[in-house]
Amino acid sequence: MSDTVEAEDDFQFLRTGDEVVLQSTFTSQEEHVKLCLAAEGFGSRLCRLEPTSNCKNVPPDLSVCGFVLAQCLSVRALQEMLVHSKNLAAEVISGGSHRTLLYGQAVLFLHSYSGMYLSCLTSSQSSTDKLAFDVGLQEDIKGEACWWTVHPASRQRSEGEKVRVGDDLILVNVSSERYLHLSFGTVFDNKNLSDSLIVNAAFQQTLWSVAPICCGGFLKGGDTLRLLHSHSDACLTIPSTEQGEELQRIMHYEIGSVSSYARSLWRLEILHVVWSGRHTCWGQPFRLRHVTTGRYLGLTEEKGLHLVDRDKANINTTSFCFRSSKEKLDTGTKTNVDGMGTPEIKYGDSICYVQHVDSGLWLTYQATDAKSTRMGGAQRKAIAHSEGHMDDGLTLSRSQREESHTARLIRTAILLFTRFIRVFLNSD
């Protein structure tokens, strides 16, 4: 009985060690926009907002939205620790894990992707409010700037109570005593409300909801992995950058050293925000995002199987699922419950068949002719087919955290240089 109660607490209450997203809704002229707090940490340390309202057609980039509840403690304990502790980082790390977060406590948010901390900065460059400060990331935890107190937005909750999943809450920076707030930035976009909004620390309140995305084993949403052909060393990948941008939209199976290259990395994204880091079940729809290009594996009648841009990655085009067999299809009925779900797909062990959800076609390879076989071709084009081959099963290989982080940095660097070159050329 006690084990059941403890399991329920894992899903009902927030604890240190949980990875979460900070969500909010902005309303303007009858338009409601749902947003998640996001940051890169590379290129810019300012936080931004990732829209999630239209996630069925434009998938949000949740890889930069995750924050770990690194530590929570009372404000008094925090002040004593800041005054007396010589090694603050060691003190925080040794503070214990899986402590339940209480209203009124100070909490430390660790940005999962960058390894830096959510902080109130001393600059004020993104807002028209002269009393507001920028919100961004800082590398260390010196001072009070990266600590935020949690307060209930509802009168049904009070200081000292446990913070429940889904509660509306208010976040106040300990150092500046300003609220984590959504507002219009210095640039206003009439066509897209979400592009006009910024996050800052101001004297105006904004309600936030802290939604967990994962808390612990097997294949999970948000994992970065490689798809390996189970009967060979072939890896699902794209051509190298030397082949040109359009050819990089075509996938193939390739053997050799490509299994150690960043272009063979894929990120699995479950089709919802809350518990998006749950265990992935057989038959559960997901998207596969190619890490270094940022494009999604998709299937259309015109182009067949290819990588599509993010703004064209609607559910019908980009939804896939894993099946344990082509004959006995899994229903995927266990995917709508809260929590981490049941671990079913094991790295390096489970044989997975990839099926396109909307069409029912299978991910397979194009048979090579006798001539290319004699020449020792190391590549086979990936296609979608109604039957495929008997050996279409894949095994999954999880990438190292540093490896996936480096691949993401490659894509970010390419985007930054591309924008720089475009602006430079347009200025002539």
Side-chain angles (χ1 to χ4, degrees):
M1 181 68 179
S2 61
D3 292 341
T4 304
V5 173
E6 186 175 346
E8 289 178 355
D9 282 358
D10 284 341
F11 302 144
Q12 290 182 5
F13 304 108
L14 293 172
R15 291 180 165 188
T16 54
D18 287 352
E19 187 172 0
V20 301
V21 291
L22 293 169
Q23 294 179 300
S24 188
T25 302
F26 190 90
T27 303
S28 176
Q29 298 178 352
E30 299 182 356
E31 184 179 358
H32 302 277
V33 181
K34 292 183 178 179
L35 305 141
C36 283
L37 186 67
E40 289 282 351
F42 178 76
S44 174
R45 292 193 180 183
L46 290 181
C47 286
R48 60 178 179 85
L49 296 164
E50 183 73 13
T52 60
S53 301
N54 192 26
C55 59
K56 288 186 177 181
N57 298 312
V58 182
D61 188 359
L62 295 181
S63 64
V64 292
C65 297
F67 290 86
V68 176
L69 300 178
Q71 182 58 286
C72 65
L73 66 171
S74 69
V75 175
R76 182 177 178 180
L78 170 63
Q79 292 172 344
E80 291 180 357
M81 186 173 67
L82 291 172
V83 171
H84 300 293
S85 177
K86 295 182 180 179
N87 192 343
L88 184 58
E91 188 93 7
V92 169
I93 293 171
S94 64
S97 59
H98 301 294
R99 295 176 57 186
T100 303
L101 178 62
L102 306 179
Y103 281 115
Q105 285 187 329
V107 64
L108 188 67
F109 291 102
L110 174 65
H111 189 234
S112 302
Y113 171 66
S114 66
M116 293 189 276
Y117 298 92
L118 180 66
S119 176
C120 177
L121 306 179
T122 56
S123 59
S124 183
Q125 55 182 305
S126 58
S127 175
T128 56
D129 184 354
K130 295 182 179 179
L131 297 178
F133 291 122
D134 293 327
V135 172
L137 302 173
Q138 71 175 41
E139 294 183 7
D140 52 49
I141 53 175
K142 294 178 181 178
E144 299 176 335
C146 55
W147 291 88
W148 303 80
T149 54
V150 183
H151 305 277
S154 170
R155 294 183 179 178
Q156 297 178 349
R157 303 280 188 265
S158 59
E159 303 286 318
E161 282 191 42
K162 295 179 180 180
V163 180
R164 291 178 176 269
V165 171
D167 277 359
D168 286 330
L169 46 87
I170 298 166
L171 295 171
V172 182
N173 185 257
V174 176
S175 176
S176 66
E177 298 184 348
R178 287 165 171 79
Y179 302 100
L180 187 65
H181 177 60
L182 297 184
S183 65
F184 287 109
T186 53
V187 179
F188 185 78
D189 189 341
N190 290 319
K191 296 181 180 179
N192 194 338
L193 177 60
S194 60
D195 289 343
S196 305
L197 298 174
I198 61 165
V199 60
N200 57 17
F203 287 117
Q204 295 172 283
Q205 291 184 3
T206 293
L207 302 187
W208 296 86
S209 174
V210 180
I213 55 178
C214 73
C215 60
F218 285 42
L219 174 65
K220 304 190 301 295
D223 280 359
T224 301
L225 49 88
R226 289 184 172 89
L227 302 165
L228 305 175
H229 198 269
S230 58
H231 286 73
S232 68
D233 295 325
C235 181
L236 184 67
T237 183
I238 65 170
S240 63
T241 52
E242 301 165 356
Q243 303 292 324
E245 186 175 345
E246 280 307 308
L247 285 178
Q248 281 198 305
R249 293 181 181 270
I250 302 172
M251 283 74 59
H252 62 257
Y253 288 101
E254 183 177 341
I255 61 175
S257 58
V258 67
S259 59
S260 62
Y261 295 165
R263 62 184 168 97
S264 62
L265 290 174
W266 302 83
R267 175 182 162 87
L268 188 143
E269 299 181 356
I270 294 176
L271 304 184
H272 46 76
V273 176
V274 180
W275 291 112
S276 60
R278 59 170 293 144
H279 289 119
T280 306
C281 306
W282 297 114
Q284 179 170 17
F286 57 78
R287 289 183 175 100
L288 279 174
R289 187 178 198 184
H290 189 252
V291 177
T292 55
T293 63
R295 300 188 181 111
Y296 287 84
L297 181 65
L299 179 66
T300 60
E301 292 184 8
E302 303 80 33
K303 296 185 177 180
L305 192 70
H306 67 293
L307 291 183
V308 300
D309 293 326
R310 183 182 173 192
D311 58 354
K312 297 179 181 177
N314 60 73
I315 282 186
N316 291 341
T317 301
T318 58
S319 289
F320 292 84
C321 67
F322 286 132
R323 303 288 190 185
S324 57
S325 166
K326 289 186 179 181
E327 289 76 30
K328 184 181 178 182
L329 300 184
D330 314 276
T331 60
T333 55
K334 300 166 286 184
T335 63
N336 294 323
V337 296
D338 286 339
M340 285 299 295
T342 305
E344 293 183 345
I345 303 175
K346 190 175 183 180
Y347 280 105
D349 187 21
S350 300
I351 304 297
C352 305
Y353 296 87
V354 181
Q355 185 180 36
H356 185 249
V357 174
D358 188 57
S359 65
L361 300 181
W362 299 95
L363 177 64
T364 184
Y365 57 89
Q366 194 172 53
T368 55
D369 54 30
K371 181 179 179 181
S372 61
T373 302
R374 287 195 303 271
M375 294 174 65
Q379 299 179 4
R380 284 185 174 183
K381 183 180 179 181
I383 61 172
H385 194 269
S386 57
E387 295 181 1
H389 300 86
M390 292 182 63
D391 61 348
D392 283 334
L394 304 174
T395 57
L396 310 179
S397 173
R398 178 160 42 191
S399 73
Q400 297 294 324
R401 180 179 177 88
E402 294 79 9
E403 188 180 29
S404 60
H405 189 226
T406 302
R408 170 85 191 197
L409 291 179
I410 292 172
R411 180 163 68 89
T412 305
I414 291 172
L415 290 174
L416 287 172
F417 280 113
T418 302
R419 289 175 188 169
F420 173 78
I421 294 169
R422 188 180 295 123
V423 171
F424 179 76
L425 293 176
N426 291 337
S427 63
D428 293 341

